[in-house]
Amino acid sequence: MVRARAVGRSGNGSGGLWRLADELNPPEVGCRAMEAECIRRFHRHEPMENQCSSCVLKHIKAPVQLVWSLVRRFDQPQRYKPFVSRCIVQGDFAVGCLREVNIKSGLPATTSTERLEQLDDNEHILSIKIVGGDHRLQNYSSVITAHPEMIDGEEGTLVIESFVVDVPDGNTKDDTCFFVEALIKCNLKSLAVISERLADQDLAESMAL
């Protein structure tokens, strides 16, 4: 299986050169073409001069509907995000609503206020924007998408998460991207573990019937 990896770092409005980084066990050409097309369609940010942007990919051995059932829960990010301790949604769960997220100790943050920008259950797209909180991620926006694929002859899912964010004073664009990518990789690793465990449980239950 391909491990989560960052692709396409960019630090200016030109869109940058999409390149591979932190890559282990490169996928086959067909898979690479699918990744590139998904990034082109859903993950083309245009960072300003003081911003950086990148995206992280993860291949998960679980059906897309199962993976999406976890990702789409803007109101329950703690279902797979290990650094979230609590989440409270203000108002009805709908595009435009806000959530107050409490962060576990160990990160340079305690709270984050985030707005749901897009939720598309047909295309499997979730987009959020951070609008407040105690952290250094200013003007942070992210898009996460889930795409069906076949992995070793089984139903699988390609998950892509991209972001754009201000570069804090005293930091470089590469340092900022590296920090955010590390958080996303941790989240997607957890998403994969939980999704694959649930998929195995579903298979075991179906075989027992």
Side-chain angles (χ1 to χ4, degrees), residues 53 75 114 132 150 160-161 163 175 187 202:
S53 179
D75 58 333
E114 303 167 0
M150 298 300 292
I160 305 173
E161 184 164 356
F163 67 90
D175 287 343
N187 288 337
D202 288 348

Side-chain angles (χ1 to χ4, degrees), residues 98-113:
L98 298 178
R99 69 183 181 189
E100 295 288 342
V101 175
N102 291 102
I103 310 299
K104 294 179 181 178
S105 61
L107 289 178
T110 57
T111 63
S112 180
T113 305

Side-chain angles (χ1 to χ4, degrees), residues 52-114:
C52 65
S53 179
S54 182
C55 68
V56 178
L57 285 67
K58 182 69 175 177
H59 296 267
I60 300 177
K61 288 185 175 181
V64 67
Q65 292 298 339
L66 190 158
V67 175
W68 180 245
S69 71
L70 297 170
V71 172
R72 74 177 304 278
R73 295 304 299 266
F74 176 79
D75 58 333
Q76 295 182 10
Q78 66 270 31
R79 293 183 69 184
Y80 75 90
K81 293 186 176 183
F83 297 114
V84 175
S85 61
R86 188 177 70 159
C87 175
I88 299 176
V89 172
Q90 301 175 4
D92 295 333
F93 179 19
V95 172
C97 71
L98 298 178
R99 69 183 181 189
E100 295 288 342
V101 175
N102 291 102
I103 310 299
K104 294 179 181 178
S105 61
L107 289 178
T110 57
T111 63
S112 180
T113 305
E114 303 167 0

